[in-house]
Amino acid sequence: MLQVRLLGGVAAERDGEQLSLPPPAGRLLAVLALRPGPQDRETVAATLWPGTAGPAGRANLRTAVWALRKAVGDDALITSRAAVGLRPEAVTVDLADGQRRSAAGDTAAAAALCHGELLPGYADDWAETARRRLRAELAGTLASRAAAAERDGDAVGAARWSRLRCELDPLNEAAHADLVRQLAAAGDRAGALVAGREVTDRLRADLGVRPGPALRAALAEARGPGSAPLAAAPVAARPLFGRAAELRALTVAWTAARAGHGRVVLITGEAGIGKTRLVAELARRADNAGARIAVGAGVDVGGEAPLAMWQELAPQLARTVPPPPEHADWPAELGRLAPDLAARLGRDKPPPAVSAPELERLRLFDAVLRLVEWAAAGRPVLLVAEDVHRADPASMQLCAHIGRRLAGRPVLFVLTRRDRPDRPAADALLADLAGRGVEVAELELGPLSGVEVAAVVRSVADLADEAVEQVVRAADGNPLLATESARALAAGRSAPPQNLRAAVRAASGALARPARDLIEVLAAAGRALSAAELAALSVPDRDAAEAAVLDTGLVGRSGGGLRFRHALLAEAVRADLGEQGRRYEQLALAIELAAASSGQVAAEVAGHLHRAGRDDLAGPRWQRAARHARSLGAMPEAARFWAEAVRCDPESVDLRLELAEAFGWLGQEAAFEREWQAALELLPTEQQSVAWSRRGRVLRTVVCQPRASLAAYQQAWELLPADAPQSLRVDILLGAAWCEAAAGDPARGAALLDEVASLVTGPDDTIAAEMANAEVMSLIRLGRFAECEAVAERGGAAARRARRLDLAYGIWIQTVCALSAAGNLTGALRAADAAVAATRGTTVIELPCLAARAFVLSRLGRHADALAVAGEELAKAERMDSPAAAALARHDAGLIALAAGRHLEAADLLEQAIAEGAEVSRPAARLARAEALARSGRPEEAAAEVRQAALEPVRDGDQPWALVPRMARVQGLIALARGDHALARRRLGEAVAGWQRHLRPDAGTEFTANFVDLGRPPIVGLVEPGWELRRLTAELAELDQLTEVP
Amino acid sequence: MPGFALSTSCRAPVEEVWKLLFDPARFPQWWVGIETVRADAPGAFTQWPTGYPDFPMPQKLRVDQAHERVTISCQVSDIDVVWQLAEAGAGTSIHVTVSLPEQEAHRLDGQHQVIEESLHRLAALAEAAS
């Protein structure tokens, strides 16, 4: 039996005798021992001699096989014309043996694998791949053995496996968090703290970072109670009856979450079944454990302001966190949600100006996520979103945004909802979270048993056994109904009320004014009213009224304010309100009076005023609500509020134009045209110029139809009255200039900009940035690439001062494209740096800037820097909600890896990007992957990928004329990998001829076609015949050298 | 609308035919009656018929995404030539459909002859290149 050693050095022995292995035989033995059994000769040759494919490679292999046979003998080897390998039955390999024993639970074998270096002294790609694969497999084995031991209650064993995992990967925080937790569970608290301190020091020394949330949570737990300051405990609640199994499930979820395995739990059940009570019990326990807790609820009374639930949740969380770092920009962004929220976090400056709604939405969502992460950095977090069946769509989207990022954070996110009616948005949210690898559990609350209901009844009223039984029968397992029925009987009723509404009427019916007024207003609100709002209601003898309301038992204290104990109770009172419009009007005005920001409550106030029949007062509030929704990036709500405003004032041209624009943002073209046309018809001809100008702006900024926009501006110019204000004149000229530059006559665009300059001496920063944006586009169209940088510096600075990220992005990214196309890579890098700096923190536009920077660095030969930037792009894309962005980033990273010579990595990344449907040229991506495969010595797979490229649907943006020479070049590389030098030369020559046909002086036109067709700045996909030809010339020269080798 | 359809099998793999079909500059090598081609904007080119150096005929090459067809439209005569490729074992099945406007109906037979010969030349050229 031949015994092969790969760990700690390649060696072989037979019957206890060490065999002598010359270097070629040793290398071959190592490759074969990694996978005993027959292996394809071509593949083995390409693996060992990647630069010497074909006959030379085969000859090298023959020599090595001869040497190996001489060293180890015939019986261990398989050799044929096509294959070479080690006979599995005649060989033992220490690596395979160790892996097998580790998987079976042998810690000594696992330790040997961790401590023994695989294939030391071998720096080749194949050896590095083997080492990487071993580490990954071993890490998986260690983690699963640790988890299994933990499940079996063997904390000592679990810690032993986790310690090995930490030795294998000393900077893996999750592994260290597990180790700390398991040591503490095993009673070795000192060991846990030492392990935690060691990794904390290492993270600081090696990476300059603090431990992450999971590790900090594990350390806090190991230190024991009192290590973190406790939040104010929730108000003591009544005892919880029944629900033992559900509470246990919730506690398990909470325990896992606070250990850093964040997750989501959805609690479903009929109204009044005890969802809120169960969550309150969990919150009490979490509070005792030092968690940060925030609770919000969906509200569907009033105008349903966007993000209403988060306007409640986020401030609670913000109250508990330490001040964020000075350099963090997310606290200011939170000011969009609620101005006092930013102030509470120490930010007094307003958030940056609104540009595109989608940008606003993403920035705000990311800011809330940062708040949650900041809260979870020191202590575990419990987030509760109650009554999601009543939540507005934007709140649900934000729930999804946060929920998707919980894995790896000590956060438990609990949502509650009624079982009926169906709420597809909530179902979609859960399906989405589960599909993204977030742990999602569902708890369904059924009716309580008779015994449990009886216990509930006895806890609220001192009733005779017969009365208790009556209530139990009437309640049908519903604790809320049982509570209210018990109260009614205790108050003197002879029988339990027929339903909850009757029970509530029994409790509240005896109230005298003004307490009755107060409870009705509170019901109309459908949410808690703050102390300030209660004060603004101007209720006579307020203290007495509040006391009487509290005495009903239907309402409780909430901070300094009041709220119904359950939404159903408020619904019951509201159902009896009928057409009492004055209650809603009184409520609306009080809410507005007490609000810190009128925009924040505008939708709610408008909704109440509408219900009160006061559309005359509601109209202006709907407008304010629409502007506020727009500032949050909540365009569906903005459109709905503008529509309400139009309903209140149908003759207003401005309102119709706003509504039209909102439809434009939503991509509802027919609705946009309908509202715009309706607005135009309301105007006399001499005033229509403004409407046409606004149409032009929408068409060039919102829906990006430059030709249609130009037509609108031309119409606006024709209708412009002689006494028109200069600002309108400038708007029209500027808009038309951009349209001409982008899709019309660029020279005419430049002339229009001159007209603007003559009208405005010392333009403000926004106009200066708009002018630069159009000028850069004109210069590109005219092929005057080199002039772009100076314009960009001027315009970029103006855009920054005007806080117009969208303009800064457009100016800089186009300049990167232009300078790249001009071959000025140093200038392109400067522009890319400026683009990244201008967009930092706004991921959706930062990603293409990072892609551009990576590409330029790659072209400059700075591959390590390029790989780092591509990695940053990928990490940020994965953080976004968009699988499309992640797929695109993987594609970009694949191209950068390919250029850096990391062919296997490139092939993997491109394969994933293609499978995920990255929005790139699919044939081009397949050809890039084929190149990576050919360069990795896998010519057959490469050829199959070329075939797939030819079978892909080709779009105009794919520029098939550029794919043809690319395909020929990749075929050349495949031929080279197969050792067929003659065919390689022919294919590369074919590619040269193809590119030579496309060398044209008018690169500007070509570039613009790229720009328009690809839908994103074409830096990564830029087609450059000159550069392709230079690369091919170098490859042909290399081929010549290969051919000359005897 | 007058027209016709033709098919042939080719021993060359699909990528070899693909390269010829997507490269108008090589049309003169297989498309009967085309003497010269000049690439214009991406997706557009001008061809000159054999024997007519002063008669430029602008063309559009576009790809129908839904049906994976390559359509080459003559901007002068409104004749559409639609090519479709499919894998057939190790080779390729080539299908071509030609449609002419009514006013060009008299050219039907001539076009049939030209496209049939071009089809075979396309297949032969791809086979030679593979």
Side-chain angles (χ1 to χ4, degrees):
Chain A
M1 181 70 77
L2 178 69
Q3 291 167 312
V4 180
R5 187 154 55 83
L6 299 178
L7 293 161
V10 175
E13 62 179 69
R14 186 188 283 280
D15 305 327
E17 184 190 343
Q18 183 87 22
L19 303 177
S20 168
L21 291 170
R27 292 179 75 218
L28 175 60
L29 179 66
V31 166
L32 300 181
L34 285 170
R35 193 161 60 81
Q39 296 188 35
D40 176 53
R41 271 179 179 266
E42 294 284 350
T43 307
V44 173
T47 303
L48 285 168
W49 299 281
T52 322
R58 285 196 291 273
N60 286 342
L61 181 60
R62 278 196 299 277
T63 307
V65 171
W66 176 82
L68 182 59
R69 181 181 287 116
K70 200 170 163 211
V72 304
D74 253 344
D75 60 337
L77 283 180
I78 302 166
T79 55
S80 70
R81 280 184 67 83
V84 60
L86 295 175
R87 285 185 198 287
E89 67 278 12
V91 177
T92 63
V93 180
D94 61 348
L95 173 65
D97 187 45
Q99 286 175 308
R100 197 166 41 247
R101 284 166 49 206
S102 302
D106 182 339
T107 42
L113 287 178
C114 284
H115 302 148
E117 190 184 352
L118 179 65
L119 300 166
Y122 287 86
D124 316 57
D125 277 356
W126 58 269
E128 185 47 48
T129 303
R131 283 190 283 267
R132 203 167 50 234
R133 194 170 291 154
L134 171 64
R135 276 194 296 274
E137 285 175 10
L138 192 53
T141 303
L142 295 172
S144 64
R145 296 300 316 183
E150 204 169 4
R151 272 198 307 277
D152 294 343
D154 177 9
V156 174
R160 196 178 302 129
W161 286 105
S162 288
R163 195 180 285 285
L164 284 175
R165 195 172 152 216
C166 293
E167 287 171 14
L168 184 70
D169 191 352
L171 294 174
N172 183 329
E173 285 194 57
H176 282 84
D178 285 346
L179 175 62
V180 168
R181 198 166 39 73
Q182 289 153 356
L183 284 170
D188 184 3
R189 183 184 286 199
L193 295 176
V194 168
R197 195 164 53 239
E198 283 175 354
V199 69
T200 302
D201 292 346
R202 199 174 300 124
L203 287 168
R204 190 181 300 120
D206 292 359
L207 302 178
V209 299
R210 298 172 62 220
L215 184 54
R216 282 206 296 273
L219 274 168
E221 195 176 347
R223 285 189 197 105
S227 60
L230 294 180
V235 177
R238 290 177 291 111
L240 178 69
F241 297 102
R243 309 298 182 209
E246 291 88 347
L247 186 59
R248 200 161 42 246
L250 266 183
T251 308
V252 167
W254 168 243
T255 306
R258 70 180 179 152
H261 308 292
R263 59 198 55 212
V264 174
V265 176
L266 174 73
I267 303 176
T268 307
E270 67 175 70
I273 203 68
K275 300 183 289 296
T276 302
R277 180 66 195 87
L278 180 61
V279 170
E281 182 60 25
L282 174 69
R284 191 183 64 75
R285 293 177 180 210
D287 189 54
N288 287 340
R292 295 195 164 100
I293 302 167
V295 183
V299 179
D300 56 3
V301 180
E304 294 182 59
L307 296 173
M309 180 193 280
W310 287 92
Q311 284 178 358
E312 194 180 357
L313 271 166
Q316 289 177 47
L317 214 49
R319 269 195 289 274
T320 69
V321 297
E326 284 296 317
H327 64 268
D329 51 11
W330 56 265
E333 290 289 342
L334 289 172
R336 237 183 271 285
L337 193 61
D340 54 337
L341 189 51
R344 187 172 292 140
L345 295 168
R347 300 298 190 271
D348 49 6
K349 280 189 190 162
V354 172
S355 45
E358 186 60 11
L359 281 188
E360 302 314 314
R361 190 181 68 81
L362 284 170
R363 277 160 58 172
L364 178 60
F365 278 22
D366 207 46
V368 177
L369 174 64
R370 298 292 171 119
L371 171 64
V372 173
E373 288 174 343
W374 182 245
R379 287 149 60 180
V381 170
L382 174 65
L383 289 176
V384 180
E386 286 207 76
D387 296 338
V388 292
H389 53 278
R390 304 168 73 198
D392 59 279
S395 285
M396 293 298 280
Q397 284 175 4
L398 184 47
C399 285
H401 188 86
I402 303 291
R404 285 178 199 128
R405 291 159 179 80
L406 293 186
R409 295 195 169 82
V411 180
L412 180 64
F413 195 1
V414 178
L415 301 102
T416 73
R417 70 163 179 185
R418 292 183 192 170
D419 52 354
R420 280 187 299 270
D422 287 344
R423 179 72 199 265
D427 293 334
L429 181 148
L430 291 176
D432 175 81
L433 293 179
R436 307 249 185 145
V438 179
E439 286 278 341
V440 178
E442 290 194 56
L443 289 180
E444 197 158 337
L445 298 194
L448 290 179
S449 69
V451 173
E452 290 162 345
V453 174
V456 171
V457 171
R458 289 199 173 92
S459 76
V460 294
D462 187 13
L463 297 176
D465 288 350
E466 192 184 336
V468 171
E469 277 175 32
Q470 271 186 304
V471 174
V472 169
R473 275 197 302 277
D476 202 19
N478 185 307
L480 179 68
L481 185 53
T483 300
E484 299 314 319
S485 299
R487 285 203 171 112
L489 285 191
R493 280 183 71 110
S494 58
Q498 283 182 327
N499 52 35
L500 191 68
R501 190 168 164 187
V504 169
R505 198 177 292 146
S508 63
L511 283 175
R513 297 190 188 286
R516 172 137 202 96
D517 296 337
L518 179 59
I519 203 167
E520 286 178 357
V521 171
L522 194 55
R527 63 168 174 82
L529 286 183
S530 67
E533 288 166 335
L534 290 170
L537 283 169
S538 303
V539 176
D541 196 3
R542 183 179 145 205
D543 287 346
E546 286 189 12
V549 164
L550 287 166
D551 281 348
T552 63
L554 299 171
V555 171
R557 279 275 174 216
S558 168
L562 295 174
R563 84 183 305 160
F564 272 87
R565 282 195 303 96
H566 196 281
L568 268 188
L569 304 177
E571 284 170 28
V573 174
R574 204 157 54 235
D576 281 345
L577 266 182
E579 296 302 312
Q580 295 194 42
R582 64 194 171 85
R583 290 272 171 271
Y584 289 101
E585 186 175 342
Q586 182 189 9
L587 171 66
L589 299 177
I591 290 172
E592 190 170 74
L593 195 64
S597 149
S598 59
Q600 203 176 322
V601 296
E604 185 184 11
V605 169
H608 290 316
L609 288 171
H610 171 60
R611 199 163 288 118
R614 295 299 306 270
D615 275 343
D616 56 325
L617 298 177
R621 271 85 178 179
W622 285 124
Q623 294 176 39
R624 214 174 293 150
R627 287 193 193 93
H628 180 65
R630 165 93 168 63
S631 76
L632 298 175
M635 287 316 293
E637 285 85 353
R640 187 157 60 78
F641 299 156
W642 282 124
E644 289 288 347
V646 166
R647 187 182 54 71
C648 294
D649 185 3
E651 299 301 310
S652 165
V653 174
D654 264 352
L655 295 182
R656 284 196 184 274
L657 288 174
E658 293 286 1
L659 178 58
E661 185 175 331
F663 283 132
W665 281 113
L666 289 170
Q668 296 178 17
E669 212 168 310
F672 164 75
E673 290 294 348
R674 185 190 66 227
E675 291 303 328
W676 186 82
Q677 198 59 44
L680 195 68
E681 284 166 11
L682 289 169
L683 282 170
T685 310
E686 65 275 14
Q687 291 175 24
Q688 287 183 355
S689 182
V690 178
W692 282 103
S693 176
R694 285 185 67 164
R695 178 183 173 84
R697 179 168 283 276
V698 171
L699 290 174
R700 85 180 167 93
T701 56
V702 180
V703 290
C704 198
Q705 293 179 2
R707 288 186 182 87
S709 172
L710 181 58
Y713 281 123
Q714 285 165 342
Q715 187 70 21
W717 191 254
E718 278 178 25
L719 295 171
L720 192 70
D723 59 348
Q726 180 173 292
S727 58
L728 176 60
R729 209 172 283 273
V730 169
D731 268 356
I732 296 170
L733 288 171
L734 208 45
W738 185 88
C739 295
E740 292 280 15
D745 174 358
R748 169 88 186 127
L752 288 169
L753 286 177
D754 287 342
E755 279 191 60
V756 175
S758 70
L759 279 176
V760 189
T761 45
D764 67 24
D765 285 329
T766 301
I767 291 180
E770 293 248 27
M771 289 174 74
N773 194 27
E775 193 176 348
V776 167
M777 185 63 93
S778 264
L779 289 171
I780 288 173
R781 289 282 308 285
L782 293 167
R784 290 158 53 188
F785 298 146
E787 297 169 47
C788 291
E789 191 173 8
V791 178
E793 277 172 12
R794 196 174 66 233
R800 190 186 64 243
R801 286 192 299 272
R803 304 177 82 182
R804 287 291 302 272
L805 297 187
D806 54 332
L807 284 173
Y809 163 72
I811 290 167
W812 281 117
I813 203 75
Q814 288 180 69
T815 302
V816 184
C817 297
L819 295 175
S820 297
N824 178 2
L825 292 176
T826 314
L829 184 59
R830 277 195 303 272
D833 287 345
V836 170
T839 56
R840 180 69 77 197
T842 306
T843 316
V844 69
I845 50 176
E846 188 184 353
L847 290 179
C849 298
L850 288 170
R853 186 158 189 269
F855 175 80
V856 176
L857 284 166
S858 172
R859 275 296 163 85
L860 283 165
R862 290 171 54 183
H863 295 299
D865 292 336
L867 287 163
V869 176
E872 185 184 352
E873 182 197 348
L874 185 51
K876 289 192 167 166
E878 283 174 342
R879 203 182 147 82
M880 279 181 70
D881 266 347
S882 159
L888 198 57
R890 251 185 279 285
H891 165 265
D892 295 346
L895 293 186
I896 297 297
L898 178 60
R902 293 166 66 150
H903 302 125
L904 287 173
E905 187 182 338
D908 283 350
L909 283 163
L910 289 164
E911 183 179 24
Q912 285 180 60
I914 292 165
E916 291 164 357
E919 288 175 22
V920 294
S921 166
R922 289 178 66 82
R926 286 199 183 277
L927 288 178
R929 180 163 189 268
E931 178 182 345
L933 290 166
R935 297 270 192 201
S936 308
R938 290 150 71 183
E940 303 316 317
E941 289 172 66
E945 196 66 272
V946 168
R947 175 76 45 88
Q948 287 306 311
L951 292 170
E952 283 284 355
V954 177
R955 300 164 303 173
D956 284 347
D958 293 336
Q959 303 167 100
W961 52 274
L963 293 174
V964 171
R966 279 184 184 168
M967 184 181 282
R969 173 174 170 270
V970 174
Q971 287 178 314
L973 298 178
I974 293 169
L976 190 62
R978 285 170 169 159
D980 188 343
H981 291 187
L983 182 59
R985 190 180 310 283
R986 184 152 69 86
R987 295 298 190 197
L988 294 180
E990 191 183 321
V992 168
W995 285 119
Q996 278 171 339
R997 285 197 290 274
H998 297 302
L999 271 181
R1000 286 208 302 263
D1002 59 338
T1005 307
E1006 191 170 283
F1007 173 86
T1008 314
N1010 260 326
F1011 195 97
V1012 172
D1013 291 341
L1014 287 178
R1016 71 167 180 159
I1019 302 154
V1020 176
L1022 205 59
V1023 177
E1024 297 162 284
W1027 181 82
E1028 295 278 1
L1029 278 168
R1030 285 194 294 281
R1031 180 163 69 162
L1032 278 162
T1033 305
E1035 285 165 349
L1036 278 163
E1038 277 176 36
L1039 184 58
D1040 286 344
Q1041 282 183 345
L1042 274 179
T1043 315
E1044 282 166 17
V1045 175
Chain B
M1 186 180 281
F4 57 89
L6 297 167
S7 294
T8 193
S9 293
C10 165
R11 288 192 301 276
V14 70
E15 57 268 24
E16 291 308 323
V17 188
W18 187 95
K19 283 191 294 181
L20 290 166
L21 200 54
F22 277 103
D23 192 354
R26 297 188 67 186
F27 285 179
Q29 294 175 16
W30 59 272
W31 200 314
V32 176
I34 297 181
E35 186 170 291
T36 320
V37 168
R38 183 192 69 201
D40 298 329
F45 60 96
T46 303
Q47 63 185 34
W48 281 264
T50 307
Y52 295 90
D54 300 322
F55 189 25
M57 299 182 73
Q59 312 281 314
K60 282 268 187 209
L61 183 148
R62 64 184 170 79
V63 183
D64 180 329
Q65 241 182 301
H67 302 98
E68 298 175 27
R69 299 177 306 190
V70 181
T71 303
I72 295 162
S73 310
C74 177
Q75 304 297 290
V76 177
S77 63
D78 287 340
I79 296 177
D80 271 358
V81 185
V82 180
W83 300 86
Q84 278 179 287
L85 305 181
E87 234 181 336
T92 308
S93 163
I94 312 173
H95 186 78
V96 59
T97 310
V98 179
S99 51
L100 295 82
E102 291 295 344
Q103 64 271 26
E104 301 278 350
H106 61 281
R107 296 175 60 193
L108 187 63
D109 288 345
Q111 277 297 308
H112 191 287
Q113 206 176 340
V114 161
I115 295 297
E116 188 167 25
E117 195 181 335
S118 301
L119 182 61
H120 293 302
R121 285 171 66 169
L122 172 65
L125 192 60
E127 283 169 7
S130 61

